[in-house]
Structures are given as C-alpha cells and as structure tokens.
Amino acid sequence: MQYHAFLIKYAEIGIKGKNRNHFEEALVQQIRLALKRCEGKFAVDRTSGRVFIYCEAEYDYDEVVDALQHVFGIVGICPMVILQRVPVPELLKEAAKFFGGEYPDRNVTFKVHTRRLDKNYPMESMEINAEIGEEILNDYPEAKVDVHEPEVLLNVEIRERIYLYSHVIPGPGGLPLGVSGKAMLLLSGGIDSPVAGYMCAKRGLRLDATYFNAPPYTSERALQKVIDLARIISRYTGPIYLHNINFTKIQLYIYDRCPHDELTIIMRRYMMRIAELIARHSECEALITGESIGQVASQTTRSLAVTNEVCAMPVFRPLIAFDKEDIITISRKIEAFDTSIEPYEDCCTIFVAKHPVTRPNAGVIRKHEHNLDEKIDGMVLEALKTDEILFVDPDGSHVIKHREDEKEDIAQMDEIHLENSPERSAFGGRDMEL
C-alpha cells in the first residue's frame, strides 16, 4: 500500500503547558532534518496538536520509517491514507478497503474510532464508527468487533480532508534534540559511554564528544573505533564534533610521580578537567560519562565524589544505577555493541593498577597531585593544542578535520583562564577551580 502521509505521535511534549509550542517546533525541525537524508519530497505540518508528514513524491517507505525512528520526541509513526472530503457512502467503502489492505489476515477483532474535527460533515462520530464497522463486517465476515480490547484500531480523522490510519510504529520517545541544551560526552571505546550519550540525547541534549588517545600505547584502530561509535550515536543526535586529545604525556607523568593505586582516580580527574575546558569553549553546559556505581574501582561512590571535585559543571551519569546487562541491552538496541566490543584498547585500560584504591580520600589525592608540580599545567595546555577536532556525520560519508587555528584559540584562552583564575585547586590542588 502506498501511504500518502504519516501522523507523528508524541507523549511528554503534550504536557509542556505554555512551552509546548517550543517543543513541537523543535520536533518539527528534527523531523525535517531527518527527512533530508531520505529520497523524496516531504512537507511537515503542525496543526491542532498533530504533526503530519505529507509525502509529495515517490519515496522509500522503509527508509523514511527508519529515519523517523531515530528522531527523539516521536513515540508513534502512523502511516496514513488521505481521502478528499468524500460523501459518507464513499467513505465507508474506502475505509473498508483500507482495513482489508492493512490486514490481509482479516481474522482479527477491531474497533473504529472517529475524530470529526469538521463539524459540518453530515454524520456524527458515533454513527460513522457504526457504519464503517458494519461495512467491514459485510466485506470481511471473519473479522469481529471488540470495543473494549480490540486487536486492531482503525482511526478516522475528518478534517478538511479525511485521514485513515491504523498501524502505530514505535518511535524512540524522549524529547526533541536541543531543547535541553548541549553537553560534552567523554567517549571511550567501551560499551558504556555511547549508551550514556544516547540516553542524554534522548532527554533533549545535543552532544559534542571528547576522546583521550594515548599513542603509541593505543592504535589508530582504537581511534577509528571511537569515530565509528560517534557515527552510530550521531544517527540520533546529528553531526558530532569529536575532540581527539593526546593524553600520553600526562598519563606517563602521573604514572611516574603518583602512587600507583591512585593512578586511575588522578588520571580520571585530569580527563574531567580537560573535558570541562573543551566543553566551556564548545558552549556545553554539562559533562556526560558512562559510569555506574560499583562497576569498577573508579566508580565507587567515594571515587565518583573525588572525581566530581574537580568539576564546576554538572556531571551527568545516566547509567549510574544500571547493571551491565541493562547497558548491553541498550547498546544492542542502538547497534553500538558489536563496535564497542572490538578488541582495541583505549587509554583508560592501558595504565591500570593491580590493586586500585576504592575508597580514595580527597585530601590525600590532592596532596599527591602536588607531586606533579606546575609542569602538569603546561602539559594540559600542550594536550589542548593536540586537539584534533573531527566532524562525524551520521551518514558516515566523511570525517573532516576542523580549523587548525581554532585549536590554538582554545589553548590560548585556557592559558589565560589558568593565569587569571583566583583559585587553582583543580589543577594539582594548588590554586585553581574551574
């Protein structure tokens, strides 16, 4: 069957009160962007609490549905047939024909539900329901009416034209992208962080991402794996700017000067500091990590508190109460799992202590960070200058290096921030707080 349009259903947006218009417009914008990647010509219209997509030329049905299933805010996609404002006898025949086309095995229970927004139409909703039901039973006697728990619900909307639909294809739910601001995802090559990014994007956050590379201890294939994960996420979020930071010198310096049971915590603190500096210049309002309580030593309650100490930005951890199976289920759902388990290590798995501290003391950690002296500040600025900013597109067609001068601007502005800040407790616990 060739459908003329799609009705888009949303849920949470409908209870946004005075802000509902803003959320609906954001949803319409994301739908338009998604449809640009599809062949065909489409018009998206918002009216009377409904969002319609009109298909104005031939299109690939499966391609369109797949694109819409990656748009946050959509809970249901309803393929529709549109009739002109026909007389009642013709409506009855067309509705029965539509039912038969939608359900070749007509041995189902059904109910007809009519919304008559055009009050001039010469029959009321309840009468239309009864008449269409009778027409269906005459044409397909194997079908049965069940007004309480029907297997099939045939919807009829009478407006300036008449809309018929029945199937509801599930969408991803959530809120439209961008309505909640923008955040920086700390993206590794594992299972957790892509899922964390997906979940925050589902709540309306746009994403940029930061990846910490450690050549020669990590390979180019490890970086490609992270790019592939960013591309998978970008199917839901749109293009992502991925910041690739060389973290090797900082890791080696911490390894040489700090207790080895604290390596993971101290390295993690510096990753958070650097990610926050990049996030500020990317106009992000929060950081996102894939941590969950108790999964590894650096993710105990105490460890997370010590890590949080270096950040002024909010740190979102959407997986905090999930177990690994919960996370894997979502990873498979968004088709990231097979990429995440590719055997290419990231910098977080290279320098791991045999017996990492699980109940770190913040004061002790700050004291040991003093061992890094002021040289670590220069290493942070140097790491920022290594930032390779990659533009990862959802269609996978290209990865573009960003402007080189912007990397210099970021590093220079952060150097000014370091020098002028009245408090620097975040860097080595001396006298800076971001």
Side-chain angles (χ1 to χ4, degrees), residues 23 31 65 99 104 137 150-151 164 189 191 214 217 220 225 227 256 263 266 306 320-321 368 396 409 414 426 434:
F23 283 83
I31 290 171
V65 170
F99 176 88
L137 291 174
E151 297 172 306
L164 306 175
I191 298 171
Y217 302 99
E220 281 296 316
K225 174 183 174 181
I227 294 172
D256 288 340
L263 288 177
I266 295 175
V306 172
I320 196 68
H368 290 154
D409 292 345
D414 286 327
L434 297 177

Side-chain angles (χ1 to χ4, degrees), residues 24-209:
E24 287 184 347
E25 277 300 317
L27 177 61
V28 167
Q29 178 64 18
Q30 291 305 311
I31 290 171
R32 287 175 177 152
L33 289 173
L35 292 174
K36 282 185 177 181
R37 301 197 294 271
C38 301
E39 291 188 13
K41 187 177 180 182
F42 308 93
V44 184
D45 184 39
R46 178 170 66 95
T47 179
S48 303
R50 290 283 199 267
V51 175
F52 295 101
I53 301 170
Y54 297 103
C55 309
E56 299 179 347
E58 289 191 9
Y59 65 95
D60 185 319
Y61 173 84
D62 292 332
E63 181 184 49
V64 169
V65 170
D66 181 71
L68 295 175
Q69 286 185 307
H70 288 80
V71 177
F72 290 127
I74 295 176
V75 299
I77 305 159
C78 307
M80 308 179 76
V81 165
I82 302 176
L83 308 175
Q84 297 305 317
R85 197 174 178 279
V86 295
V88 172
E90 189 173 345
L91 169 59
L92 303 184
K93 292 179 181 179
E94 290 294 336
K97 179 181 175 182
F98 176 79
F99 176 88
E102 289 285 89
Y103 303 100
D105 179 8
R106 286 102 187 206
N107 188 19
V108 294
T109 60
F110 74 95
K111 174 183 177 180
V112 180
H113 178 258
T114 301
R115 293 182 73 218
R116 189 174 65 112
L117 284 82
D118 180 359
K119 302 304 181 183
N120 292 320
Y121 197 74
M123 186 177 284
E124 294 186 354
S125 298
M126 294 299 291
E127 294 176 296
I128 295 172
N129 292 342
E131 293 289 336
I132 291 177
E134 184 177 354
E135 188 79 15
I136 291 172
L137 291 174
N138 289 336
D139 289 355
Y140 313 111
E142 63 271 35
K144 296 179 176 62
V145 173
D146 184 341
V147 297
H148 300 294
E149 294 183 357
E151 297 172 306
V152 169
L153 181 62
L154 174 59
N155 293 279
V156 181
E157 291 200 6
I158 300 176
R159 299 170 178 261
E160 75 290 348
R161 294 185 289 179
I162 298 173
Y163 299 78
L164 306 175
Y165 67 96
S166 182
H167 284 110
V168 181
I169 303 164
L175 295 175
L177 199 65
V179 298
S180 301
K182 184 180 176 185
M184 179 66 70
L185 171 66
L186 277 74
L187 182 61
S188 72
I191 298 171
D192 303 338
S193 57
V195 173
Y198 163 85
M199 292 185 65
C200 283
K202 188 174 180 178
R203 297 308 302 162
L205 281 167
R206 293 189 181 276
L207 300 184
D208 279 353

Side-chain angles (χ1 to χ4, degrees), residues 288-301:
I288 302 169
T289 76
E291 294 157 314
S292 62
I293 292 175
Q295 187 172 146
V296 295
S298 63
Q299 297 177 21
T300 63
T301 304

